[in-house]
Amino acid sequence: MTIEPTRPPTGRVMALDLGEKRIGVALSDTTRTIAAAHSVIARKSRAEDAARYAHLIAEHHIALLVVGLPITLSGTEGQRAAWVRDYAADLERQLGVPIVFWDESLTTMEAEAALRAQGRRGRKLKERVDAVAAAVILQSYLDAQRGAAYDDI
């Protein structure tokens, strides 16, 4: 879990769960309390992906981007994490929005379990799992930030 010291204190937050074929997107409410699954984007090129993120950032007045970082169960970063960091560095240059990384370990499994509990199976589950995983990442980040704010009191 990496929290950057330059994160804006206010404004909505968007989270990305980067996959090889699909990108899950989640958004916070304006108070940074609740995360909600937003959409799943089919990956194209980095430039096309960034253009779609830029549209969402402008439309929803996003002040911060949280990117899920794949950390192994042993707590290390592997080749996939290096790719995510490189992808995010490109995004930060193109979008001008601060980016923080947040551990995404087991979020897809948690998202699948939540969708199954709602009765979703097969194709309906697969269509939403990446967006729900992004919401799990974002909610974890928001909860940790709220907890850190209480620690300062």
Side-chain angles (χ1 to χ4, degrees):
M1 290 179 234
T2 305
I3 301 171
E4 305 297 328
T6 58
R7 68 184 185 277
T10 60
R12 293 180 78 179
V13 181
M14 182 167 86
L16 301 177
D17 180 31
L18 300 173
E20 291 182 28
K21 296 179 183 179
R22 294 176 305 279
I23 302 155
V25 179
L27 303 174
S28 77
D29 63 339
T30 56
T31 65
R32 293 187 177 191
T33 304
I34 306 281
H38 180 271
S39 58
V40 175
I41 297 172
R43 282 210 38 231
K44 303 280 184 190
S45 68
R46 286 187 181 193
E48 288 179 74
D49 295 348
R52 287 183 273 179
Y53 305 144
H55 176 75
L56 289 170
I57 288 166
E59 179 181 2
H60 296 284
H61 309 286
I62 301 300
L64 178 69
L65 189 59
V66 174
V67 175
L69 187 67
I71 305 293
T72 67
L73 293 178
S74 65
T76 61
E77 293 185 19
Q79 187 175 4
R80 184 78 182 145
W83 179 86
V84 167
R85 285 187 181 278
D86 182 64
Y87 184 98
D90 279 351
L91 279 183
E92 195 163 27
R93 282 189 294 274
Q94 293 177 53
L95 300 175
V97 174
I99 294 177
V100 297
F101 296 98
W102 200 253
D103 185 2
E104 69 169 22
S105 301
L106 306 176
T107 56
T108 300
M109 290 174 46
E110 189 175 335
E112 287 174 353
L115 289 168
R116 282 193 183 97
Q118 294 175 0
R120 296 193 186 191
R121 303 274 186 273
R123 190 169 144 227
K124 287 187 178 188
L125 183 145
K126 191 173 185 176
E127 289 172 351
R128 292 294 296 163
V129 72
D130 297 302
V132 174
V136 170
I137 292 165
L138 182 53
Q139 191 64 57
S140 172
Y141 172 81
L142 296 172
D143 291 347
Q145 298 310 298
R146 198 168 31 262
Y150 288 128
D151 290 345
D152 293 340
I153 297 174

